[in-house]
Amino acid sequence: MTVERSTPRTPAENAQLALLLEVTGTPKPGNVDRERDLDELRFEHFLAGAVGANRGLRRAASGAPVGVAFERAIEGMSHQSGGNTQFGCLLLLVPLVRAAAAGTLSPDGVTEVVESTTVADAADFYRAFEHVAVAVADPPEDLADLDVRRGSDAIPALRDRETTLYDVMAASEGDGNAEEWTGGFSRTFDAAETILADDGPVPDRVARAFVDLLAEGEDTLVRTNHGPEVAAEVRRRADAARGDPEKVAELAAAFVDEGINPGTTADIVCAATFVALERGVSV
Amino acid sequence: MTVERSTPRTPAENAQLALLLEVTGTPKPGNVDRERDLDELRFEHFLAGAVGANRGLRRAASGAPVGVAFERAIEGMSHQSGGNTQFGCLLLLVPLVRAAAAGTLSPDGVTEVVESTTVADAADFYRAFEHVAVAVADPPEDLADLDVRRGSDAIPALRDRETTLYDVMAASEGDGNAEEWTGGFSRTFDAAETILADDGPVPDRVARAFVDLLAEGEDTLVRTNHGPEVAAEVRRRADAARGDPEKVAELAAAFVDEGINPGTTADIVCAATFVALERGVSV
């Protein structure tokens, strides 16, 4: 089934715009946004990252393998001094762009893309970790040889085990982005509908959708960096603040003070923004 | 003579990043920046404009005629609801990107590019005015048939007179961007050196360079919209505020209240940011 597109931009352009709108939407408590930098990670690092990522996104749109397109996007993203800006966003965007370019941007369509990934895609995914330092959880003990932080050193193990990129995601239990990959991008498509149904400037819609997502599910990056109790508490605090701009602004200040960075939720809202742009939300 | 490049990005990527850094640098009194929107022209319109302009910038880098690349950039830029975001920036960036891609990014190199423009380039320049409304001064009476606001209706007159795009610029007396075209982009290259010699985050350098440029020369767009006396007064006020962040912040608030938008100065600082990126300023 082909999905109707109603946007003046190509899928790669909408993906780049989604990267830029994600970092612009404010307040997104705990994240860099139009009004807030973190210590070593500033707004302009995201701009340069989004510019550099474009080459990989265009590869995805022209049908390159998911792994190749992702690794190129991360390589391009890495040419700035802030470190990792939008690795997780790109992990979600690349298969979505491929599906959009093929006219199949739907839960089924993107699932077909991710289920078709190969061992070569997994190898390129691991290579991407050599371009930037990414915060990830420790893998289960029996998968220690597949720790993504090993970068391309892990590739022989991937080949031995015949592990595809989809398999890598399926083994990443409890990771919010991996759950999108293996669960039909359900939170992404739901949040896209929220953004489409909302009104006002798109960055404001993105910021509201971010708080909704954070209120509805624990953030993986917070859990990785601070443990499950803090992640549960962050979710509760977002739930208590949602819908009240003053409380959300307080949360934004508090999370930065506490060093809490709900980055996985930002990844999902970025992917949702892409879907909303493809479905015609107007900037 | 080939000019050394020391940047991880392609010329088209650096041009897109320059568009984004220009709109981000704050405070840039009277302009949209990271901290300020105008009534109907918001930050996200510039993001979408910079995304869309990329297709034209890549054409410029691959050696397309200046007119074709410019018209494509403006067409891409126009797919957002804010109207004209960075028309003037692109008018400066397109020949600079062409020169950079050819390894000749210098006053002489870019002058060679602009002096080589043809009647066809002029026709494409006029076509670009059909994509967005641009504030321009009235032409001299004997050039009324070449009023850019006529769009492609003026093309027969261009052909009759054998007017190249360089000729159009040479006839645009008192226009700051046209003066860059016909004067070796001198303010652009000077401001690029200022940005390179400055320190701190690049958007802050861009904002400081903007105030310096505004203090040193009257802004064409202000003159077009408010007359020569206001333009002179704006220059004096910028000169009095430069170097004092508190006074520059006051100016930023005042100019927005007074409806003063020094857009041509923003164009030149954008072009200067591109040159600085090409020469290795690090984000």
Side-chain angles (χ1 to χ4, degrees), chain A residues 200-233:
Chain A
V202 177
D204 297 348
R205 302 190 202 190
V206 169
R208 285 189 287 267
F210 172 87
V211 177
D212 284 347
L213 281 164
L214 189 58
E216 286 159 10
E218 290 176 18
D219 186 274
T220 308
L221 185 62
V222 173
R223 194 160 48 210
T224 299
N225 288 338
H226 302 276
E229 279 171 36
V230 173
E233 180 62 20

PDB file of all heavy atoms in Angstrom, chain A residues 200-233:
ATOM      1  N   GLY A 200      -1.014  25.782  16.563  1.00  0.00           N
ATOM      2  CA  GLY A 200       0.056  26.723  16.911  1.00  0.00           C
ATOM      3  C   GLY A 200       1.346  26.353  16.215  1.00  0.00           C
ATOM      4  O   GLY A 200       1.401  25.383  15.448  1.00  0.00           O
ATOM      5  N   PRO A 201       2.402  27.167  16.450  1.00  0.00           N
ATOM      6  CA  PRO A 201       3.701  26.920  15.809  1.00  0.00           C
ATOM      7  C   PRO A 201       4.214  25.503  16.082  1.00  0.00           C
ATOM      8  O   PRO A 201       4.054  24.977  17.187  1.00  0.00           O
ATOM      9  CB  PRO A 201       4.606  27.963  16.479  1.00  0.00           C
ATOM     10  CG  PRO A 201       3.679  29.071  16.879  1.00  0.00           C
ATOM     11  CD  PRO A 201       2.409  28.386  17.282  1.00  0.00           C
ATOM     12  N   VAL A 202       4.817  24.907  15.063  1.00  0.00           N
ATOM     13  CA  VAL A 202       5.245  23.511  15.175  1.00  0.00           C
ATOM     14  C   VAL A 202       6.240  23.281  16.330  1.00  0.00           C
ATOM     15  O   VAL A 202       6.113  22.278  17.039  1.00  0.00           O
ATOM     16  CB  VAL A 202       5.791  22.997  13.822  1.00  0.00           C
ATOM     17  CG1 VAL A 202       6.307  21.561  13.951  1.00  0.00           C
ATOM     18  CG2 VAL A 202       4.696  23.062  12.757  1.00  0.00           C
ATOM     19  N   PRO A 203       7.224  24.183  16.564  1.00  0.00           N
ATOM     20  CA  PRO A 203       8.132  23.899  17.688  1.00  0.00           C
ATOM     21  C   PRO A 203       7.390  23.797  19.034  1.00  0.00           C
ATOM     22  O   PRO A 203       7.786  23.024  19.898  1.00  0.00           O
ATOM     23  CB  PRO A 203       9.090  25.102  17.676  1.00  0.00           C
ATOM     24  CG  PRO A 203       9.062  25.599  16.271  1.00  0.00           C
ATOM     25  CD  PRO A 203       7.646  25.381  15.810  1.00  0.00           C
ATOM     26  N   ASP A 204       6.310  24.578  19.201  1.00  0.00           N
ATOM     27  CA  ASP A 204       5.525  24.480  20.437  1.00  0.00           C
ATOM     28  C   ASP A 204       4.820  23.128  20.520  1.00  0.00           C
ATOM     29  O   ASP A 204       4.724  22.525  21.591  1.00  0.00           O
ATOM     30  CB  ASP A 204       4.486  25.608  20.500  1.00  0.00           C
ATOM     31  CG  ASP A 204       5.126  26.987  20.554  1.00  0.00           C
ATOM     32  OD1 ASP A 204       6.356  27.068  20.775  1.00  0.00           O
ATOM     33  OD2 ASP A 204       4.399  27.981  20.367  1.00  0.00           O
ATOM     34  N   ARG A 205       4.335  22.668  19.387  1.00  0.00           N
ATOM     35  CA  ARG A 205       3.680  21.352  19.377  1.00  0.00           C
ATOM     36  C   ARG A 205       4.676  20.252  19.724  1.00  0.00           C
ATOM     37  O   ARG A 205       4.359  19.296  20.431  1.00  0.00           O
ATOM     38  CB  ARG A 205       3.107  21.047  17.986  1.00  0.00           C
ATOM     39  CG  ARG A 205       2.111  22.079  17.482  1.00  0.00           C
ATOM     40  CD  ARG A 205       1.461  21.534  16.230  1.00  0.00           C
ATOM     41  NE  ARG A 205       0.901  22.569  15.381  1.00  0.00           N
ATOM     42  CZ  ARG A 205       0.126  22.336  14.341  1.00  0.00           C
ATOM     43  NH1 ARG A 205      -0.167  21.080  13.999  1.00  0.00           N
ATOM     44  NH2 ARG A 205      -0.346  23.317  13.620  1.00  0.00           N
ATOM     45  N   VAL A 206       5.895  20.393  19.184  1.00  0.00           N
ATOM     46  CA  VAL A 206       6.952  19.409  19.447  1.00  0.00           C
ATOM     47  C   VAL A 206       7.252  19.371  20.953  1.00  0.00           C
ATOM     48  O   VAL A 206       7.372  18.288  21.545  1.00  0.00           O
ATOM     49  CB  VAL A 206       8.227  19.768  18.647  1.00  0.00           C
ATOM     50  CG1 VAL A 206       9.426  18.936  19.092  1.00  0.00           C
ATOM     51  CG2 VAL A 206       7.975  19.597  17.146  1.00  0.00           C
ATOM     52  N   ALA A 207       7.339  20.544  21.558  1.00  0.00           N
ATOM     53  CA  ALA A 207       7.655  20.610  22.992  1.00  0.00           C
ATOM     54  C   ALA A 207       6.534  19.962  23.816  1.00  0.00           C
ATOM     55  O   ALA A 207       6.798  19.228  24.772  1.00  0.00           O
ATOM     56  CB  ALA A 207       7.876  22.060  23.408  1.00  0.00           C
ATOM     57  N   ARG A 208       5.287  20.218  23.435  1.00  0.00           N
ATOM     58  CA  ARG A 208       4.173  19.613  24.184  1.00  0.00           C
ATOM     59  C   ARG A 208       4.161  18.098  24.003  1.00  0.00           C
ATOM     60  O   ARG A 208       3.933  17.341  24.954  1.00  0.00           O
ATOM     61  CB  ARG A 208       2.836  20.215  23.726  1.00  0.00           C
ATOM     62  CG  ARG A 208       2.605  21.632  24.252  1.00  0.00           C
ATOM     63  CD  ARG A 208       1.177  22.120  23.966  1.00  0.00           C
ATOM     64  NE  ARG A 208       0.947  22.442  22.563  1.00  0.00           N
ATOM     65  CZ  ARG A 208       1.089  23.670  22.032  1.00  0.00           C
ATOM     66  NH1 ARG A 208       1.481  24.682  22.790  1.00  0.00           N
ATOM     67  NH2 ARG A 208       0.847  23.890  20.751  1.00  0.00           N
ATOM     68  N   ALA A 209       4.413  17.653  22.773  1.00  0.00           N
ATOM     69  CA  ALA A 209       4.430  16.199  22.516  1.00  0.00           C
ATOM     70  C   ALA A 209       5.557  15.528  23.299  1.00  0.00           C
ATOM     71  O   ALA A 209       5.415  14.389  23.772  1.00  0.00           O
ATOM     72  CB  ALA A 209       4.582  15.923  21.017  1.00  0.00           C
ATOM     73  N   PHE A 210       6.669  16.252  23.464  1.00  0.00           N
ATOM     74  CA  PHE A 210       7.790  15.718  24.249  1.00  0.00           C
ATOM     75  C   PHE A 210       7.362  15.448  25.688  1.00  0.00           C
ATOM     76  O   PHE A 210       7.630  14.376  26.243  1.00  0.00           O
ATOM     77  CB  PHE A 210       8.955  16.723  24.219  1.00  0.00           C
ATOM     78  CG  PHE A 210      10.084  16.370  25.154  1.00  0.00           C
ATOM     79  CD1 PHE A 210      11.108  15.530  24.737  1.00  0.00           C
ATOM     80  CD2 PHE A 210      10.115  16.853  26.455  1.00  0.00           C
ATOM     81  CE1 PHE A 210      12.151  15.191  25.601  1.00  0.00           C
ATOM     82  CE2 PHE A 210      11.147  16.523  27.316  1.00  0.00           C
ATOM     83  CZ  PHE A 210      12.168  15.689  26.895  1.00  0.00           C
ATOM     84  N   VAL A 211       6.700  16.421  26.301  1.00  0.00           N
ATOM     85  CA  VAL A 211       6.277  16.242  27.703  1.00  0.00           C
ATOM     86  C   VAL A 211       5.256  15.110  27.810  1.00  0.00           C
ATOM     87  O   VAL A 211       5.312  14.296  28.739  1.00  0.00           O
ATOM     88  CB  VAL A 211       5.725  17.570  28.279  1.00  0.00           C
ATOM     89  CG1 VAL A 211       5.218  17.355  29.708  1.00  0.00           C
ATOM     90  CG2 VAL A 211       6.812  18.641  28.261  1.00  0.00           C
ATOM     91  N   ASP A 212       4.353  15.033  26.843  1.00  0.00           N
ATOM     92  CA  ASP A 212       3.381  13.924  26.847  1.00  0.00           C
ATOM     93  C   ASP A 212       4.088  12.572  26.789  1.00  0.00           C
ATOM     94  O   ASP A 212       3.763  11.657  27.553  1.00  0.00           O
ATOM     95  CB  ASP A 212       2.441  14.029  25.631  1.00  0.00           C
ATOM     96  CG  ASP A 212       1.387  15.120  25.815  1.00  0.00           C
ATOM     97  OD1 ASP A 212       1.228  15.620  26.952  1.00  0.00           O
ATOM     98  OD2 ASP A 212       0.727  15.469  24.816  1.00  0.00           O
ATOM     99  N   LEU A 213       5.044  12.439  25.875  1.00  0.00           N
ATOM    100  CA  LEU A 213       5.766  11.165  25.742  1.00  0.00           C
ATOM    101  C   LEU A 213       6.515  10.828  27.034  1.00  0.00           C
ATOM    102  O   LEU A 213       6.516   9.681  27.480  1.00  0.00           O
ATOM    103  CB  LEU A 213       6.770  11.241  24.577  1.00  0.00           C
ATOM    104  CG  LEU A 213       6.194  11.081  23.171  1.00  0.00           C
ATOM    105  CD1 LEU A 213       7.207  11.560  22.131  1.00  0.00           C
ATOM    106  CD2 LEU A 213       5.812   9.617  22.895  1.00  0.00           C
ATOM    107  N   LEU A 214       7.127  11.839  27.633  1.00  0.00           N
ATOM    108  CA  LEU A 214       7.899  11.613  28.861  1.00  0.00           C
ATOM    109  C   LEU A 214       6.982  11.217  30.012  1.00  0.00           C
ATOM    110  O   LEU A 214       7.368  10.423  30.887  1.00  0.00           O
ATOM    111  CB  LEU A 214       8.680  12.887  29.203  1.00  0.00           C
ATOM    112  CG  LEU A 214       9.713  12.794  30.328  1.00  0.00           C
ATOM    113  CD1 LEU A 214      10.756  11.720  30.026  1.00  0.00           C
ATOM    114  CD2 LEU A 214      10.397  14.142  30.531  1.00  0.00           C
ATOM    115  N   ALA A 215       5.758  11.754  29.989  1.00  0.00           N
ATOM    116  CA  ALA A 215       4.787  11.426  31.043  1.00  0.00           C
ATOM    117  C   ALA A 215       4.243  10.018  30.865  1.00  0.00           C
ATOM    118  O   ALA A 215       3.794   9.376  31.821  1.00  0.00           O
ATOM    119  CB  ALA A 215       3.637  12.435  31.018  1.00  0.00           C
ATOM    120  N   GLU A 216       4.292   9.527  29.649  1.00  0.00           N
ATOM    121  CA  GLU A 216       3.665   8.231  29.343  1.00  0.00           C
ATOM    122  C   GLU A 216       4.622   7.055  29.423  1.00  0.00           C
ATOM    123  O   GLU A 216       4.186   5.906  29.496  1.00  0.00           O
ATOM    124  CB  GLU A 216       3.026   8.298  27.941  1.00  0.00           C
ATOM    125  CG  GLU A 216       1.748   9.125  27.931  1.00  0.00           C
ATOM    126  CD  GLU A 216       1.399   9.636  26.529  1.00  0.00           C
ATOM    127  OE1 GLU A 216       2.037   9.186  25.552  1.00  0.00           O
ATOM    128  OE2 GLU A 216       0.514  10.505  26.437  1.00  0.00           O
ATOM    129  N   GLY A 217       5.943   7.327  29.376  1.00  0.00           N
ATOM    130  CA  GLY A 217       6.876   6.196  29.412  1.00  0.00           C
ATOM    131  C   GLY A 217       8.231   6.615  29.930  1.00  0.00           C
ATOM    132  O   GLY A 217       8.678   7.736  29.664  1.00  0.00           O
ATOM    133  N   GLU A 218       8.884   5.729  30.653  1.00  0.00           N
ATOM    134  CA  GLU A 218      10.181   6.065  31.225  1.00  0.00           C
ATOM    135  C   GLU A 218      11.216   6.262  30.129  1.00  0.00           C
ATOM    136  O   GLU A 218      11.208   5.548  29.126  1.00  0.00           O
ATOM    137  CB  GLU A 218      10.647   4.956  32.171  1.00  0.00           C
ATOM    138  CG  GLU A 218       9.800   4.923  33.431  1.00  0.00           C
ATOM    139  CD  GLU A 218      10.195   3.768  34.329  1.00  0.00           C
ATOM    140  OE1 GLU A 218      11.310   3.219  34.162  1.00  0.00           O
ATOM    141  OE2 GLU A 218       9.374   3.414  35.193  1.00  0.00           O
ATOM    142  N   ASP A 219      12.110   7.220  30.338  1.00  0.00           N
ATOM    143  CA  ASP A 219      13.132   7.526  29.348  1.00  0.00           C
ATOM    144  C   ASP A 219      14.348   6.606  29.538  1.00  0.00           C
ATOM    145  O   ASP A 219      14.919   6.523  30.624  1.00  0.00           O
ATOM    146  CB  ASP A 219      13.563   8.987  29.490  1.00  0.00           C
ATOM    147  CG  ASP A 219      14.514   9.402  28.383  1.00  0.00           C
ATOM    148  OD1 ASP A 219      15.736   9.188  28.522  1.00  0.00           O
ATOM    149  OD2 ASP A 219      14.025   9.910  27.358  1.00  0.00           O
ATOM    150  N   THR A 220      14.732   5.936  28.449  1.00  0.00           N
ATOM    151  CA  THR A 220      15.836   4.975  28.518  1.00  0.00           C
ATOM    152  C   THR A 220      17.156   5.613  28.921  1.00  0.00           C
ATOM    153  O   THR A 220      17.925   5.038  29.691  1.00  0.00           O
ATOM    154  CB  THR A 220      16.070   4.355  27.122  1.00  0.00           C
ATOM    155  OG1 THR A 220      14.835   3.866  26.628  1.00  0.00           O
ATOM    156  CG2 THR A 220      17.062   3.230  27.205  1.00  0.00           C
ATOM    157  N   LEU A 221      17.448   6.783  28.364  1.00  0.00           N
ATOM    158  CA  LEU A 221      18.734   7.412  28.661  1.00  0.00           C
ATOM    159  C   LEU A 221      18.816   7.806  30.139  1.00  0.00           C
ATOM    160  O   LEU A 221      19.862   7.668  30.772  1.00  0.00           O
ATOM    161  CB  LEU A 221      18.954   8.631  27.759  1.00  0.00           C
ATOM    162  CG  LEU A 221      20.330   9.309  27.886  1.00  0.00           C
ATOM    163  CD1 LEU A 221      21.465   8.365  27.485  1.00  0.00           C
ATOM    164  CD2 LEU A 221      20.385  10.572  27.029  1.00  0.00           C
ATOM    165  N   VAL A 222      17.697   8.278  30.682  1.00  0.00           N
ATOM    166  CA  VAL A 222      17.678   8.609  32.113  1.00  0.00           C
ATOM    167  C   VAL A 222      17.915   7.335  32.928  1.00  0.00           C
ATOM    168  O   VAL A 222      18.681   7.331  33.895  1.00  0.00           O
ATOM    169  CB  VAL A 222      16.338   9.279  32.499  1.00  0.00           C
ATOM    170  CG1 VAL A 222      16.249   9.466  34.017  1.00  0.00           C
ATOM    171  CG2 VAL A 222      16.193  10.622  31.788  1.00  0.00           C
ATOM    172  N   ARG A 223      17.281   6.233  32.514  1.00  0.00           N
ATOM    173  CA  ARG A 223      17.471   4.967  33.239  1.00  0.00           C
ATOM    174  C   ARG A 223      18.928   4.510  33.153  1.00  0.00           C
ATOM    175  O   ARG A 223      19.512   4.061  34.133  1.00  0.00           O
ATOM    176  CB  ARG A 223      16.531   3.897  32.684  1.00  0.00           C
ATOM    177  CG  ARG A 223      16.427   2.665  33.586  1.00  0.00           C
ATOM    178  CD  ARG A 223      15.169   1.855  33.284  1.00  0.00           C
ATOM    179  NE  ARG A 223      15.025   1.624  31.852  1.00  0.00           N
ATOM    180  CZ  ARG A 223      13.858   1.491  31.222  1.00  0.00           C
ATOM    181  NH1 ARG A 223      12.728   1.564  31.878  1.00  0.00           N
ATOM    182  NH2 ARG A 223      13.823   1.294  29.923  1.00  0.00           N
ATOM    183  N   THR A 224      19.516   4.639  31.956  1.00  0.00           N
ATOM    184  CA  THR A 224      20.923   4.229  31.787  1.00  0.00           C
ATOM    185  C   THR A 224      21.851   5.060  32.674  1.00  0.00           C
ATOM    186  O   THR A 224      22.752   4.532  33.313  1.00  0.00           O
ATOM    187  CB  THR A 224      21.341   4.399  30.306  1.00  0.00           C
ATOM    188  OG1 THR A 224      20.507   3.558  29.507  1.00  0.00           O
ATOM    189  CG2 THR A 224      22.798   4.012  30.090  1.00  0.00           C
ATOM    190  N   ASN A 225      21.590   6.369  32.709  1.00  0.00           N
ATOM    191  CA  ASN A 225      22.508   7.261  33.425  1.00  0.00           C
ATOM    192  C   ASN A 225      22.227   7.366  34.921  1.00  0.00           C
ATOM    193  O   ASN A 225      23.133   7.660  35.699  1.00  0.00           O
ATOM    194  CB  ASN A 225      22.462   8.666  32.815  1.00  0.00           C
ATOM    195  CG  ASN A 225      23.137   8.708  31.446  1.00  0.00           C
ATOM    196  OD1 ASN A 225      23.970   7.855  31.138  1.00  0.00           O
ATOM    197  ND2 ASN A 225      22.774   9.673  30.627  1.00  0.00           N
ATOM    198  N   HIS A 226      20.964   7.156  35.321  1.00  0.00           N
ATOM    199  CA  HIS A 226      20.598   7.433  36.728  1.00  0.00           C
ATOM    200  C   HIS A 226      19.880   6.279  37.412  1.00  0.00           C
ATOM    201  O   HIS A 226      19.558   6.389  38.598  1.00  0.00           O
ATOM    202  CB  HIS A 226      19.709   8.675  36.805  1.00  0.00           C
ATOM    203  CG  HIS A 226      20.318   9.912  36.235  1.00  0.00           C
ATOM    204  ND1 HIS A 226      21.167  10.727  36.938  1.00  0.00           N
ATOM    205  CD2 HIS A 226      20.230  10.472  34.991  1.00  0.00           C
ATOM    206  CE1 HIS A 226      21.544  11.744  36.178  1.00  0.00           C
ATOM    207  NE2 HIS A 226      21.005  11.600  34.987  1.00  0.00           N
ATOM    208  N   GLY A 227      19.565   5.214  36.691  1.00  0.00           N
ATOM    209  CA  GLY A 227      18.887   4.075  37.317  1.00  0.00           C
ATOM    210  C   GLY A 227      17.372   4.150  37.203  1.00  0.00           C
ATOM    211  O   GLY A 227      16.803   5.198  36.886  1.00  0.00           O
ATOM    212  N   PRO A 228      16.704   3.016  37.464  1.00  0.00           N
ATOM    213  CA  PRO A 228      15.259   2.895  37.240  1.00  0.00           C
ATOM    214  C   PRO A 228      14.413   3.766  38.179  1.00  0.00           C
ATOM    215  O   PRO A 228      13.345   4.236  37.777  1.00  0.00           O
ATOM    216  CB  PRO A 228      14.969   1.407  37.470  1.00  0.00           C
ATOM    217  CG  PRO A 228      16.148   0.865  38.207  1.00  0.00           C
ATOM    218  CD  PRO A 228      17.317   1.728  37.866  1.00  0.00           C
ATOM    219  N   GLU A 229      14.889   4.010  39.386  1.00  0.00           N
ATOM    220  CA  GLU A 229      14.056   4.801  40.307  1.00  0.00           C
ATOM    221  C   GLU A 229      13.955   6.247  39.846  1.00  0.00           C
ATOM    222  O   GLU A 229      12.867   6.842  39.861  1.00  0.00           O
ATOM    223  CB  GLU A 229      14.613   4.747  41.731  1.00  0.00           C
ATOM    224  CG  GLU A 229      14.195   3.462  42.426  1.00  0.00           C
ATOM    225  CD  GLU A 229      14.903   3.268  43.757  1.00  0.00           C
ATOM    226  OE1 GLU A 229      15.138   4.283  44.441  1.00  0.00           O
ATOM    227  OE2 GLU A 229      15.236   2.110  44.078  1.00  0.00           O
ATOM    228  N   VAL A 230      15.089   6.796  39.409  1.00  0.00           N
ATOM    229  CA  VAL A 230      15.062   8.174  38.905  1.00  0.00           C
ATOM    230  C   VAL A 230      14.211   8.246  37.630  1.00  0.00           C
ATOM    231  O   VAL A 230      13.424   9.186  37.450  1.00  0.00           O
ATOM    232  CB  VAL A 230      16.499   8.695  38.642  1.00  0.00           C
ATOM    233  CG1 VAL A 230      16.471  10.054  37.961  1.00  0.00           C
ATOM    234  CG2 VAL A 230      17.287   8.776  39.946  1.00  0.00           C
ATOM    235  N   ALA A 231      14.337   7.240  36.775  1.00  0.00           N
ATOM    236  CA  ALA A 231      13.551   7.240  35.525  1.00  0.00           C
ATOM    237  C   ALA A 231      12.057   7.240  35.830  1.00  0.00           C
ATOM    238  O   ALA A 231      11.277   7.958  35.187  1.00  0.00           O
ATOM    239  CB  ALA A 231      13.931   6.038  34.658  1.00  0.00           C
ATOM    240  N   ALA A 232      11.656   6.447  36.833  1.00  0.00           N
ATOM    241  CA  ALA A 232      10.234   6.390  37.202  1.00  0.00           C
ATOM    242  C   ALA A 232       9.789   7.736  37.779  1.00  0.00           C
ATOM    243  O   ALA A 232       8.683   8.229  37.476  1.00  0.00           O
ATOM    244  CB  ALA A 232       9.999   5.266  38.204  1.00  0.00           C
ATOM    245  N   GLU A 233      10.643   8.329  38.579  1.00  0.00           N
ATOM    246  CA  GLU A 233      10.326   9.616  39.200  1.00  0.00           C
ATOM    247  C   GLU A 233      10.227  10.730  38.131  1.00  0.00           C
ATOM    248  O   GLU A 233       9.330  11.576  38.197  1.00  0.00           O
ATOM    249  CB  GLU A 233      11.438   9.945  40.222  1.00  0.00           C
ATOM    250  CG  GLU A 233      11.277  11.243  40.974  1.00  0.00           C
ATOM    251  CD  GLU A 233      10.012  11.295  41.832  1.00  0.00           C
ATOM    252  OE1 GLU A 233       9.451  10.205  42.139  1.00  0.00           O
ATOM    253  OE2 GLU A 233       9.576  12.409  42.152  1.00  0.00           O
TER     254      GLU A 233
END
